[in-house]
Amino acid sequence: MLRRRSGRTVLLVHTVFLKQSTLTTTTNVMSTQAVAFDWLPQEVMENIAFFAATTTDLGPPSDLLPLLLSCRSIYRALSFDANLHLCARIFEYKFDLSAAVRRLGQQIATPDVLSKELRKRFVCLKRIRARTDSKIRAPDPMSNPPVISELLWLAYLMMLENDGNNVKQLREYAGMEQWLMEYWFDDEGTSLASKTLSGDEWPLDNEHNSLAMWLFWLFLRPDRFQRTERNYRTFATVFKPTALAANKYNICHAPWEDFVPRSCLLEPTCINHYSNSYQLTPPTMAIPAILTYLSLVGPLLGPTRVVYKGPHTPNSFPSCLNQSLEWDADWQRCMNLAENPLASQLSGAYKVGSLQGVWEGVFTYTEFTTYAALLSGRSPSILHNCMVAQHRQTWKLREYHLTVSRGADGVADGEKSPSLSSGDPLKAFFPSGIRIHEHVGGAEVHEPGKMVPLPYRQPSACDEEVEGFKCPEIQDIIVVGEGHSAWGQFNVIGRVRPCDGFVSLLKEYVEGDRGLWLYRGYLVGSINGSLAGRWRDTLSLPGANGYEGCFVMSRRR
């Protein structure tokens, strides 16, 4: 609709609802006849500005710039400094916000906070797009550790909060995948992986490489890489040493042999997120290295070229409106590990019921002489050409919970509830002589020296519905199951560590002399995620390096 005012023709409100091409024309008309729009209501001008800023989903709101530069009155009304509400609307259109509000609270969704976050993100995304920090460029005073740290933390947290928009900005606008390829595989890559490995030294195990390894896994699309021997060599050069060298790359920051560790082995990092400071501990780089290694090179392992599709990558997860729910526990783990002392109760780093079901995957192992040489101090070259065998395996797991006793009013009883003792770490933290009797909907755990068995229940058998992933009423989680591999049938029992969701499973073969093996790792993601980590022998003492390999298990689809 057109209306004549003071001898000038101006375009009115409904232009904001037209298609993108029409909207661009409208913005240009406003730019050339800006004085005629001084009389428009503030709300109308803001709506026009919003639609100009969102004509494209990707990248900064550059189409808004001509409008802001048209005249002083429009700039004063619509600039980012003057109109925080407009900035907040643009942020919510281009990025995902629901996960951050769910985890951090509604106070982070104010116009002031979102406008600052909008500016910060596009400054960082532009820098990623320019590849300023993916390679070592000298002299470049702007390429420094604090900048790289901010970029990597932002990208990692955006992926944990991703509900569809964040990954589009990182992948399609910023080109994060290409950035990561340069970071890891270029001869001048900032990870220094190529330089260190060419000198037969180990890739650096630091915060930047840890975050970059996680980002590589979160963006991984195996179907985009040709499964050739050349690509196998390229990927294996970086991922193989990190995945297999258990004596060099820990799978957890808190000592794995402690069921209730007092502190983390790594100092937390203070980061700024949504204008607030948070203490976070980045996850170790070993877990995503194992996942990536078995995704990209797993199908080529061994002389028989066993067909194995690899673990479920995040990009293969079913699309849903709340994709970020998959990563609530991973976010909480970063928070929990930054606490001092560490929590002794379950606090969200593991989503209850996640291990229940049928799992399929592989475990790998190297020649014993090769691994012995590795433990004796050999350099990474010992792993480059060594044979890595793999076997398929299937697990059928049942999860049981010990809950805190409650009175009729729903309040926990005053008397301390009985609990299962923390046992030998080589036996998945079960006390010696433990007996577990399963029945419909639950299990009774008999611990030597205790008169009454502990009643554990399956999630579906609980009287109350568990809401979300925080379950303060659950005191302990155990896992019971069985499975089979090429080595035969076996039984499985395990426990989940409260502070960080670290899973320990003891695997005992039913027949023959295959022995006992301890599987330790993390569930990465939730219902669609994968359990990844390392197995080790149970003859070596907990504080000593043992014979280890890696494994990945994904839920059967």
Side-chain angles (χ1 to χ4, degrees):
M1 178 173 66
L2 297 175
R3 178 178 295 175
R4 179 77 57 180
R5 184 179 185 272
S6 302
R8 300 187 183 191
T9 302
V10 294
L11 198 57
L12 276 186
V13 180
H14 81 289
T15 55
V16 300
F17 302 107
L18 298 181
K19 295 181 179 179
Q20 177 178 330
S21 58
T22 306
L23 178 57
T24 303
T25 303
T26 302
T27 305
N28 292 334
V29 171
M30 289 187 66
S31 300
T32 57
Q33 301 190 25
V35 176
F37 288 85
D38 291 349
W39 60 275
L40 284 176
Q42 174 73 19
E43 181 181 357
V44 174
M45 295 179 66
E46 184 180 305
N47 283 338
I48 293 174
F50 172 76
F51 279 90
T54 57
T55 51
T56 59
D57 295 339
L58 301 177
S62 54
D63 288 339
L64 180 60
L65 186 60
L67 179 59
L68 294 179
L69 296 178
S70 59
C71 77
R72 292 179 180 176
S73 59
I74 288 180
Y75 182 85
R76 284 196 298 267
L78 301 177
S79 70
F80 282 5
D81 290 326
N83 199 319
L84 302 181
H85 182 260
L86 174 61
C87 294
R89 290 179 64 190
I90 296 171
F91 180 91
E92 292 187 60
Y93 180 87
K94 289 183 175 284
F95 297 98
D96 297 308
L97 182 60
S98 62
V101 171
R102 185 172 67 247
R103 297 166 188 168
L104 304 176
Q106 189 65 42
Q107 73 278 0
I108 62 109
T110 64
D112 178 54
V113 171
L114 295 184
S115 64
K116 292 177 181 176
E117 190 70 14
L118 180 70
R119 296 184 186 191
K120 169 190 168 182
R121 291 199 178 187
F122 279 122
V123 168
C124 290
L125 291 176
K126 285 181 178 179
R127 194 174 179 96
I128 295 171
R129 183 183 176 94
R131 309 279 198 281
T132 308
D133 309 286
S134 58
K135 294 193 289 186
I136 302 171
R137 306 175 191 273
D140 184 3
M142 293 300 293
S143 183
N144 58 66
V147 172
I148 298 175
S149 180
E150 183 179 21
L151 297 184
L152 290 170
W153 269 113
L154 175 65
Y156 177 66
L157 294 179
M158 283 178 64
M159 290 303 291
L160 293 190
E161 296 168 358
N162 173 57
D163 284 313
N165 289 335
N166 286 356
V167 71
K168 286 178 62 177
Q169 298 292 350
L170 284 164
R171 173 179 280 143
E172 299 176 31
Y173 171 73
M176 192 76 213
E177 289 172 310
Q178 293 80 8
W179 192 97
L180 290 167
M181 289 294 289
E182 288 185 0
Y183 181 92
W184 281 115
F185 302 111
D186 193 275
D187 289 342
E188 299 297 321
T190 309
S191 68
L192 299 178
S194 295
K195 284 185 176 295
T196 55
L197 287 167
S198 64
D200 204 12
E201 297 179 357
W202 297 97
L204 300 177
D205 184 6
N206 56 31
E207 181 180 284
H208 294 168
N209 283 356
S210 180
L211 292 170
M213 189 72 80
W214 276 99
L215 286 167
F216 197 93
W217 164 249
L218 291 169
F219 279 96
L220 184 62
R221 293 183 286 185
D223 56 318
R224 292 172 61 87
F225 298 98
Q226 241 183 336
R227 298 189 185 278
T228 63
E229 291 289 344
R230 180 179 179 181
N231 282 344
Y232 166 79
R233 295 290 179 185
T234 300
F235 295 127
T237 298
V238 173
F239 300 126
K240 190 176 183 180
T242 312
L244 298 183
N247 62 320
K248 293 292 183 179
Y249 304 97
N250 294 325
I251 56 174
C252 58
H253 288 310
W256 73 265
E257 61 269 24
D258 294 339
F259 189 65
V260 185
R262 289 196 54 80
S263 62
C264 187
L265 300 176
L266 184 70
E267 286 294 321
T269 300
C270 182
I271 67 155
N272 184 276
H273 194 46
Y274 286 97
S275 300
N276 288 288
S277 294
Y278 298 94
Q279 295 286 331
L280 297 177
T281 296
T284 63
M285 64 186 292
I287 296 295
I290 292 169
L291 287 163
T292 303
Y293 175 66
L294 291 178
S295 294
L296 293 177
V297 305
L300 296 176
L301 291 177
T304 58
R305 296 294 190 268
V306 177
V307 177
Y308 170 57
K309 295 181 180 180
H312 301 158
T313 64
N315 284 285
S316 69
F317 290 179
S319 299
C320 66
L321 294 176
N322 296 310
Q323 301 173 42
S324 58
L325 290 172
E326 285 283 344
W327 310 108
D328 277 347
D330 296 80
W331 155 261
Q332 193 63 43
R333 184 176 302 127
C334 293
M335 292 283 287
N336 288 2
L337 288 173
E339 295 178 358
N340 190 13
L342 296 175
S344 59
Q345 301 295 322
L346 290 160
S347 54
Y350 173 80
K351 187 173 182 178
V352 296
S354 295
L355 288 175
Q356 181 96 2
V358 180
W359 298 76
E360 297 176 322
V362 297
F363 64 93
T364 70
Y365 58 92
T366 57
E367 296 170 315
F368 186 78
T369 53
T370 299
Y371 203 83
L374 181 68
L375 297 183
S376 299
R378 289 289 299 274
S379 56
S381 58
I382 190 70
L383 293 175
H384 287 167
N385 297 310
C386 76
M387 187 191 76
V388 180
Q390 69 171 345
H391 284 298
R392 300 288 296 270
Q393 62 178 344
T394 300
W395 295 350
K396 184 178 181 181
L397 304 179
R398 297 170 295 282
E399 184 174 312
Y400 297 103
H401 304 154
L402 179 66
T403 57
V404 176
S405 59
R406 296 180 178 274
D409 57 357
V411 179
D413 294 339
E415 185 178 349
K416 186 177 180 181
S417 301
S419 60
L420 185 63
S421 302
S422 176
D424 188 349
L426 294 175
K427 296 181 179 178
F429 299 113
F430 282 101
S432 299
I434 201 82
R435 290 181 293 118
I436 302 175
H437 298 295
E438 295 183 86
H439 54 79
V440 177
E444 289 186 346
V445 178
H446 298 259
E447 181 180 348
K450 294 186 177 180
M451 300 296 294
V452 180
L454 296 174
Y456 283 73
R457 296 183 291 180
Q458 286 189 290
S460 58
C462 291
D463 296 332
E464 296 179 299
E465 181 180 355
V466 175
E467 181 180 359
F469 67 100
K470 293 183 178 179
C471 304
E473 73 277 7
I474 295 178
Q475 189 174 5
D476 188 32
I477 298 175
I478 66 170
V479 180
V480 182
E482 55 279 328
H484 61 86
S485 70
W487 286 7
Q489 304 287 328
F490 52 81
N491 294 316
V492 175
I493 59 171
R495 294 181 79 177
V496 178
R497 188 162 69 181
C499 67
D500 61 349
F502 184 64
V503 180
S504 293
L505 298 166
L506 185 64
K507 174 180 175 182
E508 182 177 12
Y509 282 91
V510 176
E511 297 179 352
D513 56 352
R514 294 293 185 180
L516 296 171
W517 304 94
L518 183 67
Y519 282 68
R520 305 154 300 142
Y522 288 103
L523 184 61
V524 179
S526 181
I527 191 67
N528 295 298
S530 296
L531 181 62
R534 296 199 181 102
W535 58 262
R536 62 164 283 160
D537 73 276
T538 56
L539 299 177
S540 305
L541 294 175
N545 290 318
Y547 179 42
E548 301 195 28
C550 54
F551 75 94
V552 170
M553 302 295 292
S554 298
R555 192 182 303 277
R556 177 183 286 175
R557 289 182 178 175

